[in-house]
Amino acid sequence: MPEPTTSLMILIAGPYASGTGGDPDLMRQNLRRLETAAWPLFEAGHLPMIGEWVALPVLDSAGATGPTDPLAAQVLYPVAARLLQRCDAVLRLPGESRGADQDVAIARERGIPVYYDINDVPGVPTSEPAAADG
């Protein structure tokens, strides 16, 4: 059991639309990949946050057809910027992503810690690397 830490709201940033060519199935897979970091953060006493958890319902309520709708540019990046006014840290997952890089830049400008490995987040127990198949 990890030692108690101060609860942080942590923005999980990484590829969502990048590299998908607008394919909704690939975007869902990317979102699921981002979401895999949610449980370890929550278990460590933190509040995980992913910008798409907010942006996608906002887009839907605005009548957008999805994350490739022209309205998305007015919602996706601004949601992350607004969340970063409230978040205490960013967990930047691997993969090319202009939006995630922008999140990191905003966090650094605001003096918000950026973690590149979930094991570096306070309170998250260090996990052993998975054994290689072979």
Side-chain angles (χ1 to χ4, degrees):
M1 186 80 172
E3 290 188 29
T5 63
T6 300
S7 181
L8 304 173
M9 183 163 31
I10 300 176
L11 181 68
I12 302 167
Y16 172 63
S18 298
T20 66
D23 182 324
D25 290 330
L26 294 176
M27 284 188 253
R28 275 191 290 279
Q29 288 175 22
N30 280 346
L31 182 56
R32 281 195 290 276
R33 186 174 156 269
L34 294 171
E35 290 172 341
T36 62
W39 174 247
L41 293 174
F42 185 81
E43 189 176 37
H46 303 303
L47 180 61
M49 177 55 64
I50 297 174
E52 286 75 16
W53 288 346
V54 175
L56 294 176
V58 169
L59 282 171
D60 186 55
S61 70
T65 58
T68 59
D69 189 283
L71 188 58
Q74 297 175 42
V75 175
L76 289 170
Y77 295 142
V79 160
R82 291 179 191 185
L83 283 171
L84 284 166
Q85 293 174 0
R86 306 271 193 273
C87 288
D88 303 299
V90 172
L91 174 60
R92 174 58 163 100
L93 298 183
E96 189 175 320
S97 170
R98 186 175 52 138
D101 290 344
Q102 185 175 317
D103 296 343
V104 168
I106 292 169
R108 293 203 183 286
E109 287 171 10
R110 296 181 181 169
I112 299 170
V114 177
Y115 302 101
Y116 292 90
D117 186 319
I118 196 164
N119 295 309
D120 293 336
V121 175
V124 175
T126 303
S127 60
E128 296 295 319
D133 292 331

